[in-house]
Amino acid sequence: MADENQDMNGQNGIDEANDTNAVNWNAVALWSWRVVSGIQKDTCAICRNHVKDLCIDCQAEQGTHIKELYDMCPEATGACSHVFHLHCISRWLKNHWVCPLDYRTWDFKKCGKENQKS
């Protein structure tokens, strides 16, 4: 009977021309957000909630005054047309002066009730 390490051609499975064998292999992966134009305008990129829903700050304060919270959690649109919750973008702008998605200088285009008309 043939040796168990030999294949059908009588070779032992080790390539004699190539003396290197992989002993350990570590995989590295990269990822990024896939921003689709429809999702981009419906989702706050800072808290990842729908812009018509409450931001994470307002969700933390949820209680019996849900209707008032929805009125107090407006949307804010920048000159670049990116939409965020006003609370989220205000917190972001304390440390940054740029849009979190395209890094252009942030300027308010619409805010609050006027944002909901369009």
Side-chain angles (χ1 to χ4, degrees), residues 39-40 42-51 83-85 88-89:
I39 294 172
Q40 176 181 349
D42 294 341
T43 304
C44 175
I46 298 170
C47 71
R48 305 305 296 165
N49 288 345
H50 195 279
V51 291
V83 181
F84 306 96
H85 294 109
C88 295
I89 194 65

Side-chain angles (χ1 to χ4, degrees), residues 27-31:
V28 177
L30 298 174
W31 67 274

Side-chain angles (χ1 to χ4, degrees), residues 58-86:
C58 291
Q59 284 179 347
E61 296 176 19
Q62 253 183 0
T64 57
H65 310 322
I66 302 253
K67 174 68 173 124
E68 288 125 18
L69 283 174
Y70 274 99
D71 291 339
M72 293 172 39
C73 190
E75 302 169 27
T77 304
C80 55
S81 298
H82 292 129
V83 181
F84 306 96
H85 294 109
L86 181 60

Side-chain angles (χ1 to χ4, degrees), residues 44-47 57 80 84-108:
C44 175
I46 298 170
C47 71
D57 292 337
C80 55
F84 306 96
H85 294 109
L86 181 60
H87 299 137
C88 295
I89 194 65
S90 296
R91 189 174 61 245
W92 171 268
L93 291 173
K94 287 179 182 177
N95 298 317
H96 311 87
W97 294 100
V98 295
C99 173
L101 293 176
D102 61 14
Y103 292 99
R104 288 191 272 176
T105 303
W106 179 265
D107 291 315
F108 283 99

Side-chain angles (χ1 to χ4, degrees), residues 10-31:
Q11 306 225 348
N12 62 1
I14 297 175
D15 186 8
E16 294 176 10
N18 187 1
D19 291 339
T20 58
N21 290 329
V23 176
N24 193 3
W25 180 64
N26 294 321
V28 177
L30 298 174
W31 67 274

